[in-house]
Amino acid sequence: MQRVTVVCVGKLKERFYAEAAAEYVKRLGRYCRLELVELPEQRLPENPSPAEIERALAREAEAIRAKLPREAAVTALCIEGETRSSEALAALLGSWGSQKALAFVIGGSYGLHPSVKTAARLRLSMSPMTFPHHLARVMLLEQIYRGFQILEGGKYHK
């Protein structure tokens, strides 16, 4: 069974996000061994300087790298990444099936440090629109679930 790790910076605070994420985690148990890793977002002042943001992202990047499985094919979610259809994401999941592990990384409210993006096998964008990183987690889990459903020929994807 495929091992999938989703590393997220920031904790889900709103119950509706947590419940939605938990539902997809439960559904994904049928298709993969999912590990959901939450890392704390670095504290910043009210109006941080670019240097403060850079230092915070660098600290988050260290924590992210420490949680990624060594053998994983890593996908970084970022606004400048490629957009893919659900079918294309499913094909990617299928083509990476020989990998021992897959990992997806979602940054916090300031995104991901460039070193995380550069090291990733794929940079993926959910949309040119901006979404809260908490919602991005639910959307990613849903799309991974949808991808496995597509590969199986399930009825979820219409």
Side-chain angles (χ1 to χ4, degrees), residues 7-11 39-42 57 60 64 77 105-113 131-134 136:
V7 178
C8 309
V9 175
K11 296 196 179 288
L39 299 172
E41 191 165 9
Q42 293 293 306
L57 290 176
E60 289 171 0
I64 289 166
L77 274 75
V105 181
I106 301 172
S109 56
Y110 286 96
L112 290 169
H113 190 268
F131 297 104
H133 59 282
H134 298 93

Side-chain angles (χ1 to χ4, degrees), residues 12-50:
L12 292 181
K13 296 174 185 139
E14 293 88 355
R15 194 172 91 209
F16 57 90
Y17 285 139
E19 288 172 352
E23 176 62 27
Y24 287 109
V25 167
K26 183 177 85 176
R27 291 182 187 192
L28 280 163
R30 178 175 168 209
Y31 298 102
C32 64
R33 289 188 340 243
L34 180 71
E35 180 184 13
L36 187 59
V37 178
E38 283 187 341
L39 299 172
E41 191 165 9
Q42 293 293 306
R43 291 189 176 270
L44 286 166
E46 180 87 19
N47 293 307
S49 70

Side-chain angles (χ1 to χ4, degrees), residues 61-126:
E62 287 177 32
I64 289 166
R65 283 190 289 275
K67 294 297 183 180
L68 292 172
R70 190 170 306 174
E71 69 280 1
V74 177
T75 297
L77 274 75
C78 50
I79 192 76
E80 68 275 13
E82 299 174 27
T83 56
R84 299 223 172 183
S85 67
S86 297
E87 295 84 359
L89 182 61
L92 183 70
L93 289 172
S95 70
W96 286 2
S98 62
Q99 291 287 142
K100 290 183 181 176
L102 302 178
F104 295 86
V105 181
I106 301 172
S109 56
Y110 286 96
L112 290 169
H113 190 268
S115 66
V116 174
K117 297 176 196 179
T118 302
R121 186 167 177 179
L122 173 69
R123 287 186 287 175
L124 181 66
S125 173
M126 293 296 227

